[in-house]
Amino acid sequence: MVFRAVLAGCGAMSKGWLTALREHDLLKGRVEIVGLVDLDLATASARAAEFGLSAASIGTDLDTVLGETKPDLLFDVVVPPARAGVVEAGLRHGCHVLSEKPMAASLAEAHHLLAEAKAAGRIHAVVQNRRFIPGVRRLRRLIESGAIGELASLNCDFFIGAHFGGFRDEMENVLLLDMAIHTLDAARFMSGKSPRAVYCLQTNPPGSWYRHGAAANAIFELDDNVVFNYRGSWAAEGANTSWESAWRIVGSKGTVLWDGADAFQANIATGDTGFFRDLTAIDIPPPADDTQTHGHASVIADFLTAIETGRPPETVSSDNIKSLAMVFAAIESSRLGQRVAIDI
């Protein structure tokens, strides 16, 4: 089927959505954009012209455009403070909704949206595109295979000197709120574990060009005594990691290293004598399904297929709230200076 969709929020991020829908093999011909909405009519009109959407309804009022077009889907690309109202409007008009991250501005708001989606009988899912990349999929498959034994810890470093300018420079908790959810969601996905508690220290390093919270160190307790150590900074000059972080994942039999790009190293202990046991290199399996390795396009494709088949999408909000809870618990731990349980 061809889904009819309205896109709300026609700023810079909307271009990536519309490009993927028009050009990616996973999506071509599956969605018709019937409406574009933005608080600035000129912005919506310009985006429509850029993508040749002359037949689409253009407006500044979401309810009006949804009423006129009666779409199947709402693509929510608005700023986080406006998210709840946009999702509620989409559900009220009978749409399945796919939102940019984060899914809500608070856990209470997230729980409210879960209840609204359930009451409407519609799917609400969240764009967590960084779990849909080859490296993350390969590590998930390696861990699941048991090749490195029983999982003990995931450890990641995220250090980038990112000079965005604009609103991020003035945000509170900028690293945790605006970036870390990608890494936390990836850790949760790769491990297959749910979060239980966290201790976090947030800082703003010397020389930081951000107002607040450009760096964080967090220790997450996951199911089955698995530990996830997160070290990150957006004000770290001189040796950028990948945007996907640099990872060390430790199991009872061995360890895998990933630079966040294309370099992997995995070894298991095979000897039974000596101070350091002999090691044997092992291969990292390929992704189980190549269609799940195309980032944003794969998220949207998974959302569409879920609607067609009746299964939950991988990033359905009832699951994604666990990643959101990790962010807010880390912020709360930093504020209190103590360990915080993660209750979902």
Side-chain angles (χ1 to χ4, degrees):
M1 64 178 295
V2 177
F3 293 97
R4 292 164 50 83
V6 165
L7 185 145
C10 298
M13 294 193 71
S14 68
K15 186 171 183 176
W17 285 68
L18 294 171
T19 299
L21 290 167
R22 183 178 67 181
E23 299 180 3
H24 202 283
D25 288 342
L26 291 174
L27 300 173
K28 283 190 292 190
R30 298 183 72 182
V31 177
E32 177 189 3
I33 298 295
V34 298
L36 293 171
V37 179
D38 196 275
L39 294 177
D40 179 36
L41 187 62
T43 298
S45 297
R47 194 65 80 205
E50 180 182 2
F51 283 87
L53 300 172
S54 58
S57 177
I58 309 297
T60 60
D61 183 78
L62 180 57
D63 272 305
T64 298
V65 173
L66 291 173
E68 290 173 353
T69 58
K70 296 179 172 51
D72 308 299
L73 313 175
L74 174 62
F75 293 143
D76 159 28
V77 198
V78 302
V79 296
R83 177 138 300 127
V86 167
V87 174
E88 288 169 343
L91 296 172
R92 189 166 60 247
H93 284 267
C95 299
H96 301 286
V97 182
L98 181 61
S99 291
E100 272 292 346
K101 60 84 188 169
M103 69 173 283
S106 69
L107 273 184
E109 188 174 275
H111 281 292
H112 171 71
L113 294 180
L114 291 183
E116 291 290 304
K118 183 177 181 179
R122 291 294 182 267
I123 293 172
H124 177 219
V126 182
V127 173
Q128 291 285 177
N129 52 302
R130 282 187 165 88
R131 67 161 60 192
F132 286 88
I133 61 174
V136 169
R137 294 280 159 171
R138 294 178 72 184
L139 290 179
R140 162 82 177 222
R141 196 172 180 198
L142 177 72
I143 293 168
E144 285 184 325
S145 75
I148 61 170
E150 186 177 352
L151 186 62
S153 69
L154 303 97
N155 310 271
C156 83
D157 285 341
F158 176 86
F159 291 99
I160 287 181
H163 294 263
F164 293 102
F167 71 92
R168 288 182 179 87
D169 286 2
E170 300 302 319
M171 282 181 64
E172 291 195 359
N173 312 298
V174 62
L175 179 69
L176 289 173
L177 273 181
D178 198 56
M179 183 63 205
I181 191 167
H182 286 301
T183 316
L184 307 190
D185 184 73
R188 193 171 65 81
F189 172 73
M190 289 190 291
S191 68
K193 308 296 183 183
S194 292
R196 295 302 177 196
V198 61
Y199 179 81
C200 180
L201 172 66
Q202 248 189 137
T203 61
N204 209 31
S208 172
W209 48 96
Y210 298 91
R211 186 176 69 81
H212 182 267
N217 291 61
I219 305 168
F220 288 92
E221 302 168 31
L222 308 181
D223 286 339
D224 303 319
N225 297 315
V226 174
V227 176
F228 169 42
N229 294 301
Y230 173 84
R231 303 192 305 176
S233 175
W234 250 353
E237 299 283 28
N240 289 341
T241 63
S242 161
W243 282 94
E244 316 310 333
S245 302
W247 294 80
R248 175 185 291 264
I249 300 174
V250 182
S252 59
K253 296 179 181 178
T255 293
V256 56
L257 306 178
W258 177 43
D259 71 348
D262 300 319
F264 293 88
Q265 179 184 342
N267 295 291
I268 57 172
T270 51
D272 56 7
T273 59
F275 186 76
F276 290 117
R277 299 309 199 214
D278 291 336
L279 301 178
T280 298
I282 59 172
D283 293 330
I284 311 297
D289 183 352
D290 181 67
T291 66
Q292 296 177 328
T293 64
H294 299 279
H296 198 167
S298 290
V299 179
I300 300 174
D302 181 67
F303 176 68
L304 301 180
T305 301
I307 297 168
E308 291 170 338
T309 61
R311 64 161 174 82
E314 187 173 302
T315 60
V316 66
S317 54
S318 57
D319 179 75
N320 190 251
I321 194 173
K322 297 176 184 178
S323 298
L324 187 70
M326 293 173 76
V327 171
F328 286 121
I331 292 170
E332 181 70 359
S333 171
S334 176
R335 186 183 70 84
L336 296 175
Q338 64 186 42
R339 176 183 179 273
V340 168
I342 300 176
D343 298 316
I344 302 165

